[in-house]
Amino acid sequence: DELTSFRARVAARAKVRLAEAEAKVQEEEAAEREERIKASPGGLDPYEVMESLPANIQKAFKEQDTPLLQASFAELSPEDFKYHYERVIKSGLWVPAGGAEEEPEDAATA
C-alpha cells in the first residue's frame, strides 16, 4: 500500500540522515582534537591529558589552585610525578616559570 511504502522511504531516509549527521559530528570532533594538539607545545591533547590525571590534580587545575597542585604532585611517586608532569607540560596545561621545562622546587623533593 502507498502509505506503508511512504513510511518505509521516510524511515530509510531518516537512517541515512542520522548516519550523515553522526559522521559530520565525528569529523568536527576530530578536527577540534587536531587543533588542540597543534596548539599544544608537545603534541598532546590537553583534554586527554586532563582526563588521565589523578582526581586531586584535575581538581587543582580546574580550580587554578597552585598550592593544591604542588601538594598533589608532591604526593605522587617519583615515577608517577615524572610521567604526569611531562604530560601536563607537553599538553600546555602547565607552563613552567620562565617558559623553561624545569621542575618546580617541590618536585625535586618528591
XYZ file of all heavy atoms in Angstrom:
858
model
N 0.838 -1.170 0.000
C 0.000 0.000 0.000
C 0.889 1.241 0.000
O 2.025 1.218 0.441
C -0.968 -0.184 1.165
C -1.233 0.947 2.088
O -0.371 1.245 2.923
O -2.339 1.480 1.976
N 0.355 2.344 -0.452
C 1.123 3.571 -0.653
C 1.618 4.162 0.664
O 2.744 4.638 0.761
C 0.253 4.581 -1.396
C 1.039 5.754 -1.930
C 0.185 6.660 -2.793
O -0.557 6.157 -3.643
O 0.288 7.867 -2.580
N 0.808 4.150 1.689
C 1.193 4.696 2.991
C 2.364 3.917 3.587
O 3.313 4.498 4.119
C -0.007 4.678 3.939
C 0.230 5.249 5.338
C 0.679 6.700 5.252
C -1.018 5.115 6.186
N 2.314 2.606 3.481
C 3.387 1.762 4.007
C 4.702 2.043 3.284
O 5.759 2.156 3.918
C 3.009 0.272 3.867
O 1.758 0.056 4.501
C 4.058 -0.610 4.495
N 4.660 2.176 1.967
C 5.888 2.440 1.221
C 6.427 3.837 1.549
O 7.637 4.041 1.635
C 5.669 2.279 -0.279
O 4.800 3.274 -0.767
N 5.531 4.812 1.761
C 5.956 6.156 2.142
C 6.662 6.119 3.499
O 7.729 6.710 3.682
C 4.753 7.105 2.192
C 5.109 8.481 2.672
C 5.816 9.358 1.861
C 4.740 8.908 3.948
C 6.155 10.626 2.309
C 5.073 10.167 4.401
C 5.782 11.031 3.579
N 6.082 5.415 4.453
C 6.700 5.283 5.783
C 8.063 4.609 5.684
O 9.014 5.009 6.368
C 5.791 4.475 6.710
C 4.599 5.241 7.188
C 3.768 4.388 8.113
N 2.616 5.140 8.612
C 1.603 4.599 9.241
N 1.580 3.279 9.458
N 0.604 5.341 9.657
N 8.170 3.614 4.836
C 9.450 2.917 4.663
C 10.497 3.861 4.086
O 11.657 3.857 4.518
C 9.277 1.696 3.772
N 10.110 4.681 3.093
C 11.040 5.642 2.493
C 11.486 6.685 3.523
O 12.662 7.042 3.601
C 10.410 6.332 1.284
C 10.299 5.451 0.058
C 9.972 6.238 -1.205
N 8.849 7.164 -1.066
C 7.566 6.866 -1.306
N 7.239 5.634 -1.686
N 6.621 7.785 -1.164
N 10.531 7.175 4.309
C 10.853 8.166 5.344
C 11.805 7.557 6.372
O 12.791 8.178 6.769
C 9.569 8.705 6.014
C 9.904 9.522 7.256
C 8.771 9.547 5.031
N 11.532 6.351 6.802
C 12.388 5.683 7.788
C 13.790 5.454 7.221
O 14.788 5.683 7.911
C 11.764 4.370 8.226
N 13.876 5.029 5.962
C 15.173 4.797 5.334
C 15.951 6.101 5.218
O 17.158 6.156 5.503
C 14.991 4.153 3.965
N 15.279 7.163 4.811
C 15.948 8.457 4.674
C 16.400 8.989 6.031
O 17.460 9.572 6.160
C 15.021 9.455 3.981
C 15.638 10.797 3.753
C 16.817 10.725 2.791
N 17.462 12.026 2.722
C 18.749 12.226 2.624
N 19.567 11.195 2.527
N 19.237 13.422 2.583
N 15.583 8.758 7.049
C 15.947 9.194 8.396
C 17.220 8.503 8.862
O 18.101 9.133 9.458
C 14.799 8.922 9.366
N 17.349 7.213 8.587
C 18.562 6.476 8.955
C 19.769 7.055 8.246
O 20.837 7.228 8.847
C 18.416 4.994 8.625
C 17.502 4.242 9.554
C 17.430 2.775 9.181
C 16.454 2.029 10.065
N 16.349 0.619 9.717
N 19.622 7.361 6.958
C 20.728 7.922 6.184
C 21.119 9.289 6.744
O 22.302 9.580 6.925
C 20.349 8.031 4.683
C 21.357 8.839 3.906
C 20.183 6.642 4.089
N 20.139 10.125 7.034
C 20.425 11.471 7.555
C 21.080 11.396 8.923
O 21.986 12.176 9.217
C 19.134 12.291 7.625
C 18.511 12.486 6.270
C 18.341 13.831 5.722
N 18.765 14.979 6.445
C 18.143 16.129 6.412
N 17.028 16.242 5.724
N 18.607 17.164 7.048
N 20.638 10.467 9.770
C 21.272 10.303 11.080
C 22.723 9.862 10.925
O 23.609 10.355 11.623
C 20.501 9.294 11.931
C 19.236 9.815 12.593
C 18.487 8.680 13.282
C 19.557 10.901 13.598
N 22.971 8.940 10.023
C 24.340 8.480 9.788
C 25.209 9.625 9.270
O 26.368 9.781 9.691
C 24.346 7.321 8.795
N 24.660 10.452 8.370
C 25.410 11.599 7.859
C 25.714 12.596 8.978
O 26.821 13.127 9.063
C 24.617 12.299 6.745
C 24.524 11.501 5.469
C 23.549 12.115 4.458
O 22.817 13.072 4.808
O 23.522 11.614 3.318
N 24.738 12.838 9.842
C 24.926 13.770 10.954
C 25.986 13.258 11.929
O 26.839 14.017 12.397
C 23.607 14.010 11.672
N 25.939 11.966 12.222
C 26.938 11.378 13.122
C 28.331 11.474 12.521
O 29.298 11.780 13.217
C 26.580 9.923 13.426
C 25.392 9.775 14.352
C 24.995 8.320 14.573
O 25.705 7.401 14.113
O 23.952 8.102 15.210
N 28.440 11.228 11.230
C 29.737 11.325 10.559
C 30.263 12.754 10.616
O 31.457 12.980 10.851
C 29.630 10.849 9.117
N 29.383 13.728 10.422
C 29.787 15.130 10.470
C 30.282 15.507 11.864
O 31.293 16.189 12.018
C 28.626 16.033 10.052
C 29.001 17.484 9.984
C 27.851 18.343 9.496
C 28.268 19.806 9.477
N 27.205 20.680 9.037
N 29.566 15.058 12.895
C 29.965 15.344 14.273
C 31.339 14.726 14.554
O 32.207 15.362 15.161
C 28.904 14.831 15.276
C 29.442 14.825 16.695
C 27.647 15.664 15.173
N 31.555 13.499 14.110
C 32.845 12.844 14.324
C 33.964 13.590 13.607
O 35.063 13.740 14.153
C 32.788 11.385 13.869
C 31.963 10.516 14.783
C 31.839 9.083 14.290
O 32.213 8.761 13.175
N 31.295 8.217 15.130
N 33.697 14.080 12.402
C 34.705 14.855 11.668
C 35.033 16.142 12.409
O 36.208 16.509 12.520
C 34.188 15.202 10.263
C 34.188 14.066 9.285
C 33.614 14.462 7.927
O 33.608 15.672 7.603
O 33.178 13.564 7.196
N 34.010 16.824 12.910
C 34.230 18.068 13.642
C 35.023 17.820 14.924
O 35.920 18.595 15.259
C 32.894 18.748 13.957
C 32.215 19.317 12.733
C 30.811 19.825 13.016
O 30.316 19.694 14.165
O 30.193 20.349 12.072
N 34.694 16.746 15.635
C 35.428 16.419 16.857
C 36.874 16.099 16.555
O 37.784 16.500 17.287
C 34.759 15.256 17.592
C 33.453 15.624 18.248
C 32.736 14.437 18.861
O 33.134 13.272 18.631
O 31.743 14.678 19.583
N 37.119 15.370 15.469
C 38.489 15.044 15.076
C 39.250 16.313 14.700
O 40.425 16.468 15.061
C 38.484 14.064 13.903
N 38.600 17.234 14.009
C 39.248 18.494 13.634
C 39.568 19.321 14.877
O 40.670 19.902 14.977
C 38.361 19.278 12.679
N 38.640 19.369 15.839
C 38.885 20.099 17.083
C 40.057 19.487 17.850
O 40.910 20.202 18.386
C 37.639 20.088 17.964
C 36.518 20.955 17.463
C 35.249 20.809 18.295
O 35.288 20.132 19.347
O 34.228 21.356 17.879
N 40.109 18.170 17.883
C 41.198 17.481 18.582
C 42.524 17.799 17.911
O 43.520 18.083 18.579
C 40.947 15.978 18.586
C 42.004 15.192 19.316
C 41.661 13.695 19.382
N 42.640 12.978 20.140
C 43.760 12.452 19.620
N 44.005 12.560 18.342
N 44.617 11.814 20.386
N 42.558 17.779 16.593
C 43.787 18.102 15.862
C 44.238 19.529 16.154
O 45.433 19.781 16.316
C 43.597 17.900 14.358
C 43.558 16.443 13.934
C 44.823 15.681 14.298
O 45.935 16.211 14.079
O 44.707 14.562 14.825
N 43.295 20.454 16.250
C 43.635 21.848 16.560
C 44.220 21.957 17.961
O 45.177 22.696 18.184
C 42.414 22.757 16.420
C 42.019 23.015 14.991
C 43.113 23.712 14.191
O 43.737 24.673 14.693
O 43.356 23.265 13.054
N 43.630 21.222 18.925
C 44.162 21.250 20.290
C 45.576 20.694 20.320
O 46.449 21.227 21.013
C 43.258 20.442 21.230
C 41.926 21.086 21.531
C 41.208 20.386 22.675
N 41.064 18.955 22.530
C 39.986 18.342 22.071
N 38.930 19.041 21.690
N 39.933 17.031 21.999
N 45.803 19.629 19.571
C 47.129 19.011 19.539
C 48.129 19.956 18.883
O 49.252 20.121 19.361
C 47.073 17.644 18.826
C 46.314 16.645 19.703
C 48.467 17.138 18.495
C 46.020 15.322 19.044
N 47.726 20.609 17.778
C 48.620 21.565 17.115
C 48.980 22.722 18.041
O 50.095 23.226 18.004
C 47.962 22.128 15.852
C 47.985 21.203 14.676
C 47.360 21.901 13.474
C 47.245 20.980 12.287
N 46.591 21.643 11.147
N 48.024 23.157 18.847
C 48.240 24.295 19.732
C 49.086 23.936 20.952
O 49.633 24.829 21.601
C 46.898 24.865 20.188
N 49.207 22.669 21.258
C 49.976 22.272 22.436
C 51.468 22.229 22.092
O 51.843 21.886 20.981
C 49.508 20.912 22.960
O 49.905 19.882 22.099
N 52.311 22.579 23.069
C 53.751 22.621 22.780
C 54.388 21.259 22.527
O 55.396 21.178 21.832
C 54.348 23.275 24.023
C 53.327 23.157 25.085
C 51.998 23.036 24.410
N 53.815 20.191 23.053
C 54.439 18.878 22.915
C 53.648 17.879 22.105
O 53.980 16.697 22.063
N 52.558 18.316 21.480
C 51.794 17.418 20.630
C 50.844 16.497 21.358
O 50.445 15.471 20.822
N 50.448 16.857 22.584
C 49.476 16.048 23.327
C 48.168 16.823 23.465
O 48.177 18.044 23.624
C 50.002 15.704 24.721
C 51.220 14.798 24.791
C 51.626 14.581 26.244
C 50.956 13.470 24.117
N 47.051 16.110 23.415
C 45.738 16.722 23.557
C 45.514 17.075 25.027
O 45.496 16.196 25.891
C 44.659 15.751 23.070
C 43.263 16.327 23.105
O 43.089 17.463 23.597
O 42.339 15.649 22.630
N 45.333 18.363 25.344
C 45.141 18.759 26.741
C 43.925 18.101 27.387
O 43.967 17.778 28.577
C 44.945 20.276 26.675
C 45.424 20.698 25.343
C 45.368 19.501 24.448
N 42.840 17.875 26.628
C 41.656 17.230 27.191
C 41.972 15.806 27.622
O 41.577 15.374 28.697
C 40.514 17.207 26.182
C 39.828 18.532 25.944
C 40.341 19.733 26.413
C 38.652 18.592 25.231
C 39.716 20.930 26.183
C 38.009 19.797 24.992
C 38.547 20.963 25.471
O 37.907 22.148 25.247
N 42.689 15.078 26.767
C 43.033 13.694 27.090
C 43.979 13.636 28.283
O 43.855 12.765 29.140
C 43.640 13.001 25.881
C 42.644 12.762 24.760
C 43.265 12.139 23.529
O 44.447 11.739 23.566
O 42.553 12.054 22.508
N 44.938 14.566 28.326
C 45.879 14.592 29.449
C 45.127 14.901 30.737
O 45.337 14.235 31.762
C 47.010 15.609 29.199
C 47.869 15.795 30.444
C 47.881 15.157 28.029
N 44.243 15.890 30.698
C 43.470 16.267 31.887
C 42.671 15.077 32.412
O 42.656 14.808 33.612
C 42.542 17.434 31.570
C 41.703 17.862 32.750
S 42.643 18.517 34.117
C 42.395 20.247 33.840
N 42.041 14.335 31.512
C 41.239 13.178 31.920
C 42.101 12.059 32.502
O 41.611 11.248 33.289
C 40.418 12.654 30.742
C 39.321 13.600 30.307
C 38.297 13.878 31.393
O 37.865 12.923 32.066
O 37.947 15.059 31.580
N 43.374 11.999 32.141
C 44.245 10.926 32.617
C 44.893 11.239 33.966
O 45.497 10.362 34.574
C 45.338 10.629 31.589
O 46.304 11.667 31.574
N 44.762 12.479 34.422
C 45.391 12.879 35.685
C 44.625 12.345 36.887
O 43.412 12.138 36.811
C 45.454 14.408 35.776
C 46.338 15.116 34.774
C 46.131 16.620 34.864
C 47.789 14.768 34.980
N 45.331 12.155 38.016
C 44.629 11.788 39.257
C 43.595 12.872 39.608
O 43.763 14.048 39.268
C 45.755 11.737 40.292
C 46.995 11.477 39.504
C 46.785 12.178 38.194
N 42.552 12.492 40.292
C 41.422 13.383 40.587
C 41.849 14.658 41.310
O 41.355 15.749 40.990
C 40.372 12.639 41.406
N 42.752 14.551 42.286
C 43.143 15.747 43.037
C 43.917 16.741 42.161
O 43.798 17.954 42.330
C 43.926 15.388 44.298
C 45.138 14.527 44.031
O 45.285 13.944 42.961
N 46.007 14.423 45.009
N 44.670 16.243 41.194
C 45.396 17.135 40.283
C 44.410 17.762 39.292
O 44.521 18.954 38.982
C 46.540 16.387 39.575
C 47.586 15.949 40.616
C 47.176 17.250 38.496
C 48.730 15.135 40.058
N 43.445 16.988 38.833
C 42.396 17.556 37.968
C 41.684 18.700 38.686
O 41.464 19.772 38.111
C 41.366 16.497 37.584
C 41.832 15.504 36.558
C 40.723 14.547 36.166
O 39.545 14.883 36.215
N 41.096 13.341 35.776
N 41.334 18.462 39.944
C 40.632 19.478 40.731
C 41.490 20.734 40.860
O 40.994 21.853 40.692
C 40.293 18.923 42.116
C 39.600 19.911 43.021
C 39.324 19.316 44.383
C 38.694 20.374 45.283
N 38.594 19.955 46.658
N 42.778 20.565 41.135
C 43.666 21.721 41.282
C 43.751 22.523 39.985
O 43.729 23.757 40.011
C 45.066 21.248 41.705
N 43.828 21.841 38.853
C 43.859 22.551 37.575
C 42.546 23.286 37.333
O 42.547 24.451 36.930
C 44.131 21.590 36.412
C 45.589 21.411 36.109
C 46.202 20.185 36.297
C 46.353 22.450 35.617
C 47.539 20.004 36.006
C 47.693 22.287 35.326
C 48.294 21.064 35.529
N 41.426 22.619 37.554
C 40.120 23.233 37.300
C 39.882 24.446 38.189
O 39.289 25.427 37.759
C 39.005 22.202 37.475
C 38.993 21.166 36.375
C 37.956 20.094 36.603
C 38.038 19.034 35.517
N 37.152 17.901 35.775
N 40.349 24.379 39.427
C 40.168 25.483 40.368
C 41.311 26.491 40.296
O 41.293 27.485 41.008
C 40.026 24.939 41.786
C 38.784 24.100 41.974
C 38.673 23.492 43.360
O 39.565 23.717 44.209
O 37.679 22.776 43.595
N 42.315 26.195 39.479
C 43.516 27.028 39.346
C 44.149 27.271 40.715
O 44.537 28.384 41.059
C 43.183 28.333 38.637
C 42.678 28.101 37.231
C 42.353 29.380 36.507
O 42.442 30.476 37.050
N 41.978 29.258 35.245
N 44.251 26.207 41.478
C 44.785 26.247 42.841
C 46.220 25.733 42.822
O 46.467 24.527 42.916
C 43.894 25.392 43.743
C 44.272 25.464 45.206
O 45.399 25.898 45.525
O 43.429 25.079 46.039
N 47.172 26.656 42.691
C 48.579 26.271 42.577
C 49.096 25.536 43.820
O 49.781 24.523 43.675
C 49.450 27.504 42.265
O 48.936 28.128 41.082
C 50.896 27.112 42.030
N 48.795 25.998 45.044
C 49.275 25.244 46.217
C 48.739 23.797 46.241
O 49.483 22.867 46.560
C 48.752 26.051 47.406
C 48.609 27.440 46.877
C 48.187 27.276 45.444
N 47.468 23.619 45.899
C 46.902 22.267 45.848
C 47.588 21.450 44.757
O 47.880 20.266 44.952
C 45.394 22.309 45.608
C 44.698 20.952 45.434
C 44.873 20.081 46.674
C 43.218 21.142 45.108
N 47.862 22.081 43.632
C 48.543 21.396 42.538
C 49.922 20.929 42.980
O 50.299 19.774 42.773
C 48.653 22.325 41.326
C 49.262 21.730 40.073
C 48.394 20.604 39.531
C 49.443 22.799 39.013
N 50.668 21.803 43.616
C 52.009 21.439 44.089
C 51.935 20.337 45.140
O 52.717 19.375 45.104
C 52.725 22.666 44.650
C 53.079 23.668 43.579
C 53.625 24.966 44.134
O 53.380 25.312 45.287
N 54.353 25.695 43.298
N 50.985 20.434 46.060
C 50.837 19.409 47.090
C 50.430 18.068 46.468
O 50.934 17.015 46.869
C 49.809 19.843 48.128
N 49.566 18.122 45.477
C 49.105 16.889 44.825
C 50.242 16.218 44.069
O 50.390 14.988 44.105
C 47.948 17.196 43.871
O 46.856 17.715 44.578
N 51.052 17.002 43.385
C 52.209 16.423 42.689
C 53.216 15.863 43.690
O 53.847 14.837 43.437
C 52.881 17.458 41.778
C 52.356 17.459 40.371
C 51.616 18.523 39.891
C 52.595 16.395 39.518
C 51.127 18.527 38.593
C 52.115 16.382 38.227
C 51.374 17.452 37.760
N 53.375 16.529 44.825
C 54.338 16.073 45.838
C 53.929 14.716 46.420
O 54.788 13.960 46.874
C 54.458 17.109 46.953
N 52.636 14.388 46.391
C 52.150 13.111 46.927
C 52.440 11.932 46.004
O 52.373 10.788 46.433
C 50.642 13.190 47.167
C 50.236 14.144 48.257
C 48.728 14.325 48.351
O 47.994 13.701 47.560
O 48.288 15.101 49.218
N 52.757 12.220 44.747
C 52.968 11.146 43.770
C 54.333 10.495 43.955
O 55.272 11.119 44.455
C 52.885 11.706 42.342
C 51.552 12.296 41.903
C 51.693 12.905 40.513
C 50.454 11.252 41.912
N 54.432 9.250 43.514
C 55.732 8.587 43.499
C 56.598 9.303 42.463
O 56.075 9.958 41.550
C 55.576 7.116 43.119
O 55.210 7.005 41.745
N 57.913 9.197 42.545
C 58.774 9.872 41.566
C 58.456 9.485 40.120
O 58.475 10.339 39.227
C 60.190 9.433 41.954
C 60.091 9.120 43.420
C 58.703 8.566 43.608
N 58.128 8.203 39.888
C 57.815 7.767 38.525
C 56.513 8.399 38.032
O 56.441 8.888 36.904
C 57.699 6.233 38.452
C 58.980 5.497 38.783
C 59.189 5.338 40.288
O 58.227 5.441 41.085
O 60.355 5.129 40.679
N 55.477 8.374 38.884
C 54.196 8.974 38.513
C 54.328 10.477 38.336
O 53.745 11.063 37.418
C 53.116 8.667 39.551
C 52.655 7.225 39.507
O 52.903 6.545 38.491
O 52.038 6.777 40.495
N 55.105 11.104 39.230
C 55.324 12.545 39.117
C 55.926 12.886 37.757
O 55.424 13.748 37.044
C 56.253 13.054 40.226
C 56.702 14.465 39.988
C 55.899 15.527 40.382
C 57.900 14.734 39.351
C 56.289 16.835 40.137
C 58.293 16.034 39.098
C 57.486 17.089 39.498
N 56.990 12.195 37.414
C 57.667 12.489 36.147
C 56.733 12.270 34.964
O 56.667 13.102 34.058
C 58.917 11.613 36.007
C 59.716 11.858 34.746
C 60.984 11.012 34.738
C 61.656 11.005 33.413
N 62.554 12.043 33.129
N 55.982 11.181 34.968
C 55.057 10.870 33.876
C 54.009 11.973 33.713
O 53.831 12.520 32.629
C 54.380 9.517 34.146
C 53.270 9.185 33.180
C 53.559 8.751 31.893
C 51.933 9.315 33.542
C 52.539 8.447 30.992
C 50.913 9.013 32.655
C 51.226 8.584 31.384
O 50.232 8.296 30.502
N 53.322 12.305 34.795
C 52.248 13.294 34.710
C 52.793 14.699 34.462
O 52.210 15.469 33.697
C 51.379 13.272 35.969
C 50.533 12.041 36.078
N 49.561 11.718 35.165
C 50.506 11.053 36.999
C 48.978 10.588 35.510
N 49.547 10.163 36.624
N 53.902 15.032 35.102
C 54.480 16.367 34.943
C 54.887 16.612 33.491
O 54.587 17.662 32.925
C 55.676 16.540 35.891
C 56.211 17.949 35.909
C 55.510 18.961 36.560
C 57.405 18.271 35.291
C 55.991 20.267 36.590
C 57.894 19.568 35.303
C 57.188 20.559 35.949
O 57.661 21.846 35.967
N 55.546 15.650 32.877
C 55.944 15.794 31.472
C 54.716 15.939 30.572
O 54.716 16.742 29.642
C 56.788 14.604 31.021
C 58.178 14.602 31.592
C 58.985 13.368 31.221
O 58.453 12.462 30.540
O 60.163 13.313 31.620
N 53.673 15.188 30.856
C 52.463 15.249 30.018
C 51.729 16.586 30.165
O 51.243 17.128 29.177
C 51.530 14.084 30.351
C 52.095 12.758 29.832
C 51.266 11.553 30.222
N 49.851 11.662 29.980
C 49.241 11.385 28.828
N 49.955 10.972 27.807
N 47.936 11.499 28.717
N 51.665 17.149 31.374
C 50.976 18.435 31.517
C 51.754 19.547 30.829
O 51.166 20.481 30.285
C 50.631 18.804 32.982
C 49.677 17.806 33.585
C 51.854 18.976 33.834
N 53.066 19.443 30.794
C 53.878 20.433 30.082
C 53.702 20.263 28.579
O 53.458 21.243 27.858
C 55.362 20.321 30.485
C 55.543 20.782 31.924
C 56.237 21.153 29.541
C 56.927 20.559 32.480
N 53.796 19.043 28.086
C 53.674 18.798 26.649
C 52.293 19.137 26.113
O 52.146 19.476 24.947
C 54.017 17.341 26.326
C 55.497 17.043 26.452
C 55.797 15.597 26.134
C 57.278 15.311 26.284
N 57.587 13.897 26.037
N 51.277 19.054 26.958
C 49.922 19.375 26.514
C 49.630 20.866 26.612
O 48.643 21.341 26.062
C 48.898 18.610 27.349
O 48.883 19.112 28.674
N 50.483 21.594 27.334
C 50.263 23.019 27.504
C 49.397 23.358 28.705
O 49.060 24.528 28.900
N 49.037 22.363 29.512
C 48.247 22.649 30.711
C 49.071 23.418 31.734
O 48.545 24.188 32.524
C 47.739 21.351 31.346
C 46.648 20.611 30.578
C 46.383 19.263 31.227
C 45.380 21.439 30.512
N 50.370 23.180 31.745
C 51.266 23.838 32.700
C 52.446 24.398 31.927
O 53.067 23.696 31.131
C 51.760 22.837 33.733
C 52.682 23.432 34.745
C 54.041 23.413 34.723
C 52.316 24.139 35.924
N 54.543 24.055 35.816
C 53.498 24.521 36.574
C 51.097 24.494 36.487
C 53.492 25.238 37.762
C 51.109 25.201 37.670
C 52.294 25.565 38.298
N 52.740 25.667 32.173
C 53.920 26.293 31.577
C 54.847 26.628 32.730
O 54.515 27.471 33.570
C 53.548 27.571 30.790
C 54.797 28.226 30.230
C 52.561 27.248 29.689
N 55.998 25.950 32.807
C 56.921 26.205 33.909
C 57.359 27.669 33.926
O 57.365 28.337 32.898
C 58.110 25.291 33.607
C 57.574 24.259 32.683
C 56.482 24.924 31.906
N 57.730 28.142 35.097
C 58.177 29.533 35.257
C 59.288 29.846 34.265
O 60.212 29.060 34.079
C 58.657 29.767 36.684
N 59.167 30.971 33.605
C 60.183 31.374 32.645
C 60.073 30.648 31.322
O 60.894 30.858 30.437
N 59.102 29.768 31.182
C 58.919 29.047 29.927
C 59.882 27.889 29.740
O 59.787 27.148 28.790
N 60.832 27.716 30.655
C 61.776 26.601 30.549
C 61.133 25.354 31.143
O 60.312 25.436 32.045
C 63.063 26.921 31.296
N 61.527 24.227 30.634
C 60.967 22.980 31.146
C 61.769 22.508 32.351
O 62.525 21.554 32.293
C 60.934 21.911 30.053
C 59.924 22.225 28.986
C 59.627 21.050 28.093
O 59.933 19.909 28.481
O 59.073 21.277 27.005
N 61.598 23.223 33.448
C 62.277 22.869 34.688
C 61.236 22.397 35.686
O 60.103 22.855 35.683
C 63.003 24.090 35.257
C 64.088 24.627 34.337
C 64.704 25.900 34.888
O 64.351 26.297 36.012
O 65.521 26.483 34.188
N 61.662 21.519 36.575
C 60.748 21.039 37.596
C 60.637 22.071 38.687
O 61.600 22.763 39.010
C 61.266 19.713 38.177
C 61.287 18.586 37.154
C 61.801 17.296 37.748
O 62.081 17.239 38.948
O 61.901 16.321 36.973
N 59.453 22.215 39.306
C 59.313 23.153 40.407
C 60.155 22.688 41.602
O 60.533 21.525 41.687
C 57.825 23.132 40.734
C 57.315 21.869 40.149
C 58.207 21.529 38.999
N 60.418 23.603 42.517
C 61.257 23.271 43.673
C 60.686 22.094 44.454
O 61.421 21.233 44.907
C 61.372 24.503 44.591
C 62.167 25.619 43.973
C 62.186 26.840 44.867
O 62.034 26.687 46.102
O 62.390 27.947 44.342
N 59.359 22.048 44.615
C 58.734 20.941 45.336
C 58.949 19.614 44.641
O 58.964 18.571 45.260
C 57.231 21.183 45.490
C 56.918 22.335 46.433
O 57.861 22.811 47.111
O 55.746 22.743 46.493
N 59.124 19.652 43.322
C 59.266 18.420 42.544
C 60.569 17.711 42.887
O 60.639 16.493 42.875
C 59.219 18.722 41.058
N 61.603 18.457 43.175
C 62.900 17.848 43.462
C 62.823 17.018 44.754
O 63.562 16.055 44.910
C 63.971 18.914 43.591
N 61.918 17.379 45.623
C 61.800 16.635 46.883
C 60.800 15.498 46.780
O 60.692 14.698 47.697
C 61.362 17.591 48.026
O 60.097 18.146 47.708
C 62.393 18.681 48.238
N 60.059 15.446 45.708
C 59.027 14.408 45.554
C 59.636 13.058 45.287
O 60.689 12.891 44.791
C 58.069 14.767 44.424
